[in-house]
Amino acid sequence: SYDLTQPPSMSVSPGQTANITCSGHKLGDKYVCWYQQKPGRSPVVVIYEDYKRPSGIPERFSGSNSGSTATLTISGTQAMDEADYHCQAWDSRTVVFGGGTKLTVL
Amino acid sequence: QITLKESGPTLVKPTQTLTLTCTFSGFSLNTYGVNVGWIRQPPGKALEWLALIYWDDDKRYNPSLNGRLTITKDASKSQVVLTMTNIEPVDTATYYCSQRRIATGVKDPPFSYWGQGALVTVSS
């Protein structure tokens, strides 16, 4: 089976940049989505097809994907960005999610 | 406005079969490119994709569930049903249904719309 690996947690100071990684074998050959999930809420897509932002998602969210690592970057992180972030890709006609990263803003 | 809502039992006994229904509005599962999936999340843990059904009735399953899953659709009722056999306590989770849609310029659409989730507890 295909695995996507994320750091379980990370912290960032308000106003700084958070880089959340997602690693998988030849992940750069696949499209990656990122979902934000706040406590008790359903996930919300913040990035799809590696770098595209859905309407309504702030410009401070960006994405990249190359080699074996995809990265979600949050520039000028705000307190409201504190959440779990999940990466997702397709492999062999099945959907795979990463283990999720808990982002703390402090 | 697209909405999805999961429904089903909140408590299931081990070895039983779980049946969950996703009732949606704002789109048709007869429309080209539309698909609906099920994703679950055990308390405090990661998202796990379970199954997906396409507008043309094509289906995909998470192979790690070893054939325990069946996904069906009733487009006339705007519903997607997931059954999971031989339920175990490790299947305790919040179960979400979610919609994605293939569209012009979007080769790999995300799960754009999610239901609120339904917590299912497996216990004797």
Side-chain angles (χ1 to χ4, degrees):
Chain A
S1 65
Y2 189 81
D3 293 325
L4 292 175
T5 300
Q6 298 181 238
S9 64
M10 64 180 296
S11 62
V12 63
S13 300
Q16 298 303 302
T17 296
N19 291 300
I20 302 172
T21 59
C22 174
S23 299
H25 180 64
K26 295 186 177 180
L27 185 57
D29 293 343
K30 309 177 190 298
Y31 285 119
V32 174
C33 300
W34 290 92
Y35 301 88
Q36 176 193 68
Q37 186 181 28
K38 296 184 178 180
R41 305 299 298 272
S42 303
V44 172
V45 57
V46 293
I47 292 290
Y48 69 99
E49 289 188 338
D50 296 340
Y51 64 89
K52 297 178 181 178
R53 271 183 295 105
S55 60
I57 300 302
E59 291 184 8
R60 64 180 181 274
F61 288 88
S62 62
S64 63
N65 183 19
S66 179
S68 62
T69 303
T71 303
L72 172 68
T73 299
I74 310 174
S75 304
T77 306
Q78 300 183 9
M80 68 173 65
D81 300 328
E82 185 164 288
D84 293 331
Y85 290 87
H86 309 270
C87 61
Q88 177 251 302
W90 281 79
D91 178 74
S92 300
R93 291 150 57 96
T94 63
V95 177
V96 181
F97 282 97
T101 297
K102 181 176 181 60
L103 178 68
T104 301
V105 181
L106 47 70
Chain B
Q1 180 188 5
I2 290 176
T3 65
L4 303 96
K5 186 172 184 179
E6 307 85 355
S7 60
T10 57
L11 182 63
V12 183
K13 288 182 167 47
T15 75
Q16 289 185 336
T17 294
L18 171 66
T19 299
L20 292 169
T21 300
C22 174
T23 303
F24 55 85
S25 63
F27 66 93
S28 170
L29 202 37
N30 283 328
T31 300
Y32 173 86
V34 174
N35 39 109
V36 172
W38 285 93
I39 298 106
R40 71 179 178 180
Q41 185 174 37
K45 295 189 177 181
L47 298 172
E48 180 183 26
W49 171 73
L50 299 176
L52 189 68
I53 190 163
Y54 289 79
W55 76 97
D56 61 358
D57 210 38
D58 193 11
K59 300 166 187 176
R60 300 277 186 272
Y61 296 102
N62 186 331
S64 70
L65 274 295
N66 296 320
R68 297 171 54 207
L69 300 174
T70 302
I71 190 169
T72 59
K73 65 179 177 71
D74 186 333
S76 65
K77 293 183 179 179
S78 294
Q79 290 182 333
V80 172
V81 175
L82 180 75
T83 59
M84 180 182 295
T85 60
N86 196 23
I87 287 288
E88 303 174 6
V90 294
D91 296 313
T92 294
T94 296
Y95 286 76
Y96 297 98
C97 62
S98 181
Q99 187 249 37
R100 58 192 292 273
R101 181 174 181 175
I102 299 166
T104 302
V106 182
K107 296 179 182 178
D108 185 7
F111 289 101
S112 297
Y113 299 93
W114 294 68
Q116 64 189 21
L119 176 61
V120 177
T121 301
V122 182
S123 175
S124 55

